[in-house]
Amino acid sequence: MGNKIAAIWARVSNEIQQSLDSQVARAKLQLEKLGYIVPPEFIIKVSWTSLDLFRCPDFQKLRGWIQKRAISALGIFDRDRLNAQGLQRLIFLSECKEKGVELVICQGPPLLDEPEG
């Protein structure tokens, strides 16, 4: 893996969740421990529901980076920061796997431990 560039996806949908900045800090630390570099332009922070992330322009930007292989890893605070809809989650996971993007989950079980993974 020559490209050691990673992106970070941080998302909240209400005030009681972990702050965007703390999600980014945690994911960045984990990615850097694994040898990845996280350029500031590859950090996305959004307030958006997980029920339909495919409508989120920033999520589409992230998917574009994956499709173009601009990143080789994606840091996420917790897997619940991704799609709540099973089909959308499967599409996203499939895209990551197809393009060789490592998913780095900072807390909770890894994404691929669930049955649809």
Side-chain angles (χ1 to χ4, degrees):
M1 178 190 323
N3 180 8
K4 293 294 280 184
I5 302 295
I8 294 174
W9 171 258
R11 184 191 65 76
V12 295
S13 56
N14 63 53
E15 308 79 41
I16 62 168
Q17 294 175 333
Q18 188 84 16
S19 79
L20 291 170
D21 289 337
S22 64
Q23 289 181 45
V24 168
R26 178 93 180 268
K28 189 171 185 194
L29 180 66
Q30 188 68 27
L31 287 163
E32 288 174 346
K33 282 182 184 176
L34 296 172
Y36 290 103
I37 297 165
V38 184
E41 64 270 21
F42 283 100
I43 297 173
I44 297 178
K45 300 188 281 188
V46 299
S47 178
W48 197 279
T49 177
S50 66
L51 295 175
D52 194 9
L53 278 182
F54 277 36
R55 289 180 157 303
C56 177
D58 286 320
F59 191 71
Q60 292 306 320
K61 179 173 30 171
L62 172 62
R63 290 179 70 209
W65 295 339
I66 292 165
Q67 290 300 318
K68 295 176 199 159
R69 292 190 164 118
I71 60 172
S72 52
L74 175 62
I76 304 166
F77 176 68
D78 193 308
R79 68 185 189 168
D80 71 355
R81 303 297 84 207
L82 288 174
N83 316 63
Q85 289 188 12
L87 182 57
Q88 287 184 2
R89 183 172 50 249
L90 285 174
I91 291 168
F92 182 75
L93 292 175
S94 176
E95 290 170 346
C96 289
K97 185 174 182 177
E98 176 186 319
K99 300 300 180 180
V101 174
E102 178 182 4
L103 293 172
V104 177
I105 309 299
C106 298
Q107 81 170 20
L111 278 165
L112 299 179
D113 277 358
E114 47 190 42
E116 66 267 27

